[in-house]
Amino acid sequence: MKKINLFIVSFILQIGSVFPQNTENFHDDISSMEDLFVDAEKENNPEIIIEELNYLSENKININKTTEADLLRIPFLSERDAHEIINHRNKYGKIFSIYELKNIPGLGMQTIQQISPFITIETEPEFSLKQSLKYSKNQLFLRYDRFLQDKNGYINKATEPNKKYEGDPNYYYAKYLFRVSDKIDCGFVAEKDAGEQAWEGYNKGFDFCSFHFQLSNIDFLKRWVLGDYKVSFGQGLVVGTNSIIGKSANVLNIAQRNRGLQKYTSTGESGYFRGTGATVGFGGVDLSLFYSQRKIDANLSEDGYITSFKTDGLHRIQREIEKKQNVSEEIVGGNWNYWKQAFSIGGTFIKYSYNRLLQPAEKPYNIYKIQKDNNYWNAGVDYIFRFHGMCFFGELACGKKDGRAFLNGVNIYPTSRFGLSLLYRYYSPAYQANYANGFGENSHIENEQGIYLGAEFKPVKRIKVSAYVDTYYFPWVKYNLDKPSSGSDLLGYISFYPFRETTMYLKYKYKTKEKNSSESHSVVSYETHTARYGIQSKLNRRLASHSILDGNKYFDKSSKSSYGWLVAQDFSYDLIATVLNISTRYAYFHALAYENRLYIYEKDVLSAFSIPAYYGVGHRICLNLRFQPMSNLTCYFKYAAYIYTDGREVVGNGLEEVKGNKFSSVKFLVWYKI
């Protein structure tokens, strides 16, 4: 009862707060970060989005010189918002203050606050290599992570190689970035995961190393990349190696943002290209060509066929080490795009070749996969068309087999206070595209059709109401699902912005799908209901707070209903102005069934992303420190721990098992700017 009373007092104090927020550190805006990732379990790479936001916070977009495409790099902006900002600038001239944006129809204070860490109104001098080198940016990131308890994989003395980790439990990460104006970017990334060897055995250094070099906007050369890079065109049905937002609380942001060729700076060991590519532009036509050749991880059959690709990048035990870079992949592709102010059309082609034959396991869900072949291709045509407050977009794609995939959508803005999105997609079971990444329920663009409807309404200046419903059908069987199935999602979201420094929100999500039942040996449908209330604000000029109440209900016909809930409280305090910041989280959770596990975005060290699962009964404690003794040096520290009170004597399982009821970790990161 005492804990509950303290929690209520915290809510009351926040409602009465009247001090402005410091939005320069976007990591502190937890409610906005959560808006981007409604479905925490969907396979994606949110690190790419975090990397992009970190980059933009350091290299802000000049709102008086930018294009609509560059503004759409900010995921909090909708296509309509970016279009209106450019129209306002073209109509009224130079923007002198960020808060002048509040005069733009439909652009509320909450959106302005979300984008303010990534934009500037400063003017930049014309590019000169000699002059720009004087103001070049050098950045070095060094990071160390460690779980504090001993896991079975490190203390196991078994002689069998697959029952112990070959390396130590330390995680190491290093990244160097060099930038000259907006023209030259280069750098490298190196990483060793916990459990992997370094400087011994099979590794003579870091387990993963990456290098990139990029030239941008030099005469007709729009982009040239060398080393590791990403490729995204159209709606991602042919190729889209950028992480996408997909279904989120920003219900109108469903059209993919065409980023073309772009340097790769993340630590993910799959989902990128290694080689070179270039984009040239002549008038309204852009032409892109790219080539990639690299070794990748794969699962092989006894006959040496590729049964599936291994994408987690972990090489800790002998079985994982044997799969490291055991297949050679070669990719060649291109894109053409013709664009005008209100219209764009493009075409994309990509061809894959492997040094081994593809032969998935003989399972019903693999019938449509490519069999005993070592190459295939994908091609597609995409478009965007704007007309009187409407934006139409879509893509049609095909492959070497008879598979087809297409997506068509429209965003409609009848008034500045109301927006509507409608999207239909069909991805046949036979469509296969390894590097596709588009809108959908599945983690791959295949075996799915569905209709999405989203709406956003701003009845008054400081209130936003948004909702979406998405219904989908899987026309063929899936892994762990023995028949065609269907499902639907529904999200309702209300945010209230009573003061510039306070945000209150209420979120409800409903999901129904089908799965195999281990008890009845049949396919059953299940439902989950999730509700969350949160309030985020400043209590004074140095102290910020975020309070969360979260709960869910799970039900299927083969079992009884089960419930899970948690309460969480965050505080962030600037102890010495901008020199030292302390952030804390305390959460109590009660989710006895695995189906009732909960997810909440959690503040982390720079460039790291964390949405931990809350499962069982216990406490979650986090402490984050940000120390900036000099303007060019920032140090980050994080301590996080689960303390379970449900009587368990071990945490985790297998090689990850830890004795006791506690599981904790530390992270250190040093960021040095020259």
Side-chain angles (χ1 to χ4, degrees):
M1 180 62 69
K2 184 177 180 181
K3 291 180 181 178
I4 295 175
N5 289 337
L6 289 173
F7 202 78
I8 294 172
V9 169
S10 172
F11 274 90
I12 295 172
L13 286 172
Q14 292 175 75
I15 294 173
S17 63
V18 293
F19 294 98
Q21 286 190 26
N22 177 10
T23 61
E24 286 306 305
N25 189 353
F26 68 89
H27 296 85
D28 294 336
D29 193 356
I30 292 176
S31 63
S32 295
M33 298 302 295
E34 285 185 334
D35 288 351
L36 298 179
F37 307 102
V38 169
D39 194 348
E41 298 179 78
K42 190 176 188 298
E43 293 183 17
N44 212 329
N45 187 5
E47 182 194 351
I48 294 179
I49 296 180
I50 298 299
E51 286 277 351
E52 178 75 354
L53 292 177
N54 284 331
Y55 179 84
L56 291 177
S57 66
E58 278 297 298
N59 305 280
K60 301 180 189 297
I61 295 173
N62 187 341
I63 205 166
N64 284 313
K65 288 188 175 182
T66 190
T67 64
E68 186 174 323
D70 278 337
L71 281 177
L72 286 175
R73 295 171 66 182
I74 306 174
F76 305 110
L77 276 179
S78 68
E79 181 274 338
R80 190 266 307 270
D81 292 335
H83 188 65
E84 289 295 334
I85 289 174
I86 299 301
N87 279 347
H88 179 87
R89 188 190 67 192
N90 292 340
K91 185 176 181 180
Y92 298 104
K94 182 179 177 180
I95 296 171
F96 292 95
S97 168
I98 290 175
Y99 290 100
E100 184 182 330
L101 299 178
K102 72 181 188 299
N103 298 319
I104 297 176
L107 200 67
M109 284 297 298
Q110 185 175 1
T111 302
I112 295 172
Q113 182 182 353
Q114 288 174 327
I115 69 173
S116 61
F118 314 111
I119 60 176
T120 181
I121 59 173
E122 297 175 359
T123 57
E124 298 179 355
E126 292 298 321
F127 177 76
S128 163
L129 182 59
K130 180 179 179 180
Q131 186 71 13
S132 296
L133 284 173
K134 294 176 60 178
Y135 302 100
S136 61
K137 295 182 179 180
N138 295 265
Q139 300 181 72
L140 178 65
F141 303 81
L142 300 173
R143 178 176 152 195
Y144 169 81
D145 299 357
R146 175 73 182 255
F147 285 100
L148 300 181
Q149 286 74 33
D150 291 328
K151 297 180 180 179
N152 271 356
Y154 302 109
I155 62 177
N156 197 339
K157 303 301 182 181
T159 57
E160 296 181 42
N162 290 313
K163 291 191 175 181
K164 64 178 181 179
Y165 292 139
E166 297 293 330
D168 60 59
N170 300 308
Y171 171 93
Y172 301 111
Y173 162 83
K175 178 165 67 175
Y176 168 75
L177 300 176
F178 173 74
R179 185 173 194 260
V180 179
S181 183
D182 62 343
K183 307 295 182 181
I184 302 174
D185 288 275
C186 65
F188 69 84
V189 178
E191 180 199 49
K192 184 199 86 73
D193 290 302
E196 296 176 339
Q197 288 184 347
W199 309 109
E200 60 180 334
Y202 66 92
N203 264 341
K204 302 303 180 184
F206 288 94
D207 180 75
F208 172 72
C209 294
S210 173
F211 164 79
H212 66 271
F213 178 82
Q214 176 175 294
L215 290 178
S216 305
N217 302 319
I218 300 177
D219 294 327
F220 62 88
L221 179 65
K222 288 195 168 184
R223 184 68 48 85
W224 176 49
V225 289
L226 177 67
D228 293 346
Y229 61 97
K230 300 174 289 184
V231 180
S232 294
F233 293 110
Q235 296 301 309
L237 302 192
V238 174
V239 58
T241 57
N242 276 306
S243 185
I244 67 170
I245 298 172
K247 290 181 281 189
S248 73
N250 299 305
V251 300
L252 303 183
N253 288 3
I254 56 172
Q256 301 312 312
R257 290 124 192 268
N258 186 342
R259 300 285 292 122
L261 307 177
Q262 187 183 7
K263 64 187 184 298
Y264 183 75
T265 62
S266 300
T267 57
E269 298 181 35
S270 63
Y272 67 92
F273 295 165
R274 175 167 289 178
T276 188
T279 299
V280 295
F282 303 95
V285 178
D286 292 344
L287 297 174
S288 300
L289 292 173
F290 54 91
Y291 173 81
S292 171
Q293 200 285 327
R294 68 185 184 100
K295 297 285 189 178
I296 61 174
D297 298 357
N299 298 303
L300 303 179
S301 66
E302 293 181 357
D303 299 326
Y305 295 145
I306 302 172
T307 59
S308 62
F309 297 106
K310 185 177 183 294
T311 60
D312 60 12
L314 297 175
H315 309 109
R316 304 163 299 179
I317 59 178
Q318 192 62 40
R319 184 168 56 247
E320 294 174 342
I321 296 170
E322 292 170 355
K323 299 174 183 178
K324 182 178 180 181
Q325 298 182 357
N326 56 356
V327 168
S328 178
E329 176 189 69
E330 185 177 39
I331 294 173
V332 61
N335 170 269
W336 64 269
N337 183 259
Y338 173 75
W339 55 271
K340 282 191 173 182
Q341 185 174 5
F343 176 74
S344 171
I345 186 170
T348 307
F349 175 82
I350 187 170
K351 183 179 185 295
Y352 309 80
S353 299
Y354 300 93
N355 66 335
R356 296 176 182 268
L357 294 179
L358 297 158
Q359 182 60 58
E362 294 184 2
K363 300 290 184 180
Y365 54 82
N366 282 331
I367 286 178
Y368 290 100
K369 300 288 187 183
I370 292 176
Q371 309 285 334
K372 292 190 176 180
D373 203 346
N374 69 341
N375 67 83
Y376 58 99
W377 54 266
N378 301 106
V381 177
D382 62 90
Y383 70 92
I384 297 177
F385 174 60
R386 296 188 183 92
F387 178 74
H388 291 301
M390 295 183 290
C391 179
F392 299 87
F393 58 90
E395 184 170 13
L396 170 65
C398 60
K400 182 175 181 178
K401 296 185 71 176
D402 294 331
R404 299 288 187 272
F406 66 85
L407 176 153
N408 291 285
V410 59
N411 289 328
I412 305 172
Y413 306 103
T415 72
S416 62
R417 294 185 178 273
F418 180 71
L420 188 69
S421 291
L422 178 65
L423 181 146
Y424 174 75
R425 76 268 190 191
Y426 172 78
Y427 311 142
S428 83
Y431 185 71
Q432 186 172 343
N434 270 11
Y435 289 94
N437 190 14
F439 187 95
E441 177 65 17
N442 281 333
S443 56
H444 298 286
I445 304 299
E446 62 185 26
N447 188 29
E448 179 179 346
Q449 62 188 78
I451 298 176
Y452 171 96
L453 177 65
E456 182 179 282
F457 178 49
K458 299 174 182 177
V460 295
K461 186 176 181 180
R462 296 183 179 271
I463 295 179
K464 181 173 74 173
V465 181
S466 53
Y468 72 70
V469 59
D470 185 41
T471 61
Y472 37 85
Y473 174 66
F474 310 119
W476 186 241
V477 300
K478 300 173 61 178
Y479 177 72
N480 277 342
L481 231 170
D482 297 334
K483 72 167 191 176
S485 58
S486 61
S488 62
D489 291 356
L490 184 148
L491 177 79
Y493 184 83
I494 301 174
S495 61
F496 177 42
Y497 198 53
F499 312 105
R500 189 173 64 179
E501 72 287 344
T502 301
T503 303
M504 302 169 64
Y505 59 94
L506 179 64
K507 185 187 305 181
Y508 168 76
K509 185 178 181 183
Y510 167 80
K511 190 181 193 74
T512 178
K513 290 182 79 172
E514 294 175 298
K515 66 175 183 177
N516 286 347
S517 172
S518 57
E519 298 179 2
S520 61
H521 303 288
S522 62
V523 174
V524 298
S525 62
Y526 68 90
E527 300 177 357
T528 56
H529 302 259
T530 305
R532 177 179 299 172
Y533 172 75
I535 178 170
Q536 178 174 298
S537 68
K538 295 284 279 188
L539 299 177
N540 59 48
R541 293 188 180 277
R542 290 188 174 183
L543 179 63
S545 175
H546 187 198
S547 304
I548 299 172
L549 299 172
D550 197 56
N552 63 33
K553 173 187 175 182
Y554 173 86
F555 170 78
D556 68 54
K557 293 181 179 179
S558 64
S559 64
K560 296 181 180 179
S561 299
S562 56
Y563 300 86
W565 59 273
L566 68 79
V567 293
Q569 178 63 58
D570 296 349
F571 286 109
S572 179
Y573 184 68
D574 290 325
L575 188 63
I576 310 174
T578 59
V579 175
L580 178 62
N581 175 270
I582 301 175
S583 299
T584 62
R585 164 169 287 180
Y586 167 76
Y588 177 79
F589 56 96
H590 191 285
L592 292 175
Y594 181 72
E595 292 80 8
N596 294 112
R597 61 196 181 278
L598 305 114
Y599 296 89
I600 301 179
Y601 172 82
E602 184 174 277
K603 188 175 179 181
D604 214 317
V605 300
L606 190 70
S607 296
F609 181 84
S610 179
I611 301 185
Y614 293 79
Y615 164 51
V617 180
H619 312 270
R620 173 77 173 174
I621 300 171
C622 292
L623 171 66
N624 283 274
L625 300 178
R626 185 177 73 246
F627 179 52
Q628 190 174 10
M630 299 180 289
S631 61
N632 61 343
L633 177 64
T634 308
C635 304
Y636 295 83
F637 167 79
K638 179 181 180 180
Y639 170 80
Y642 286 107
I643 304 171
Y644 293 95
T645 58
D646 49 12
R648 69 180 67 190
E649 297 180 353
V650 296
V651 179
N653 55 67
L655 297 180
E656 291 289 289
E657 184 179 282
V658 169
K659 297 290 189 294
N661 69 332
K662 184 179 179 181
F663 193 57
S664 58
S665 63
V666 293
K667 295 181 181 181
F668 300 91
L669 184 139
V670 175
W671 177 25
Y672 184 58
K673 296 182 288 185
I674 305 174

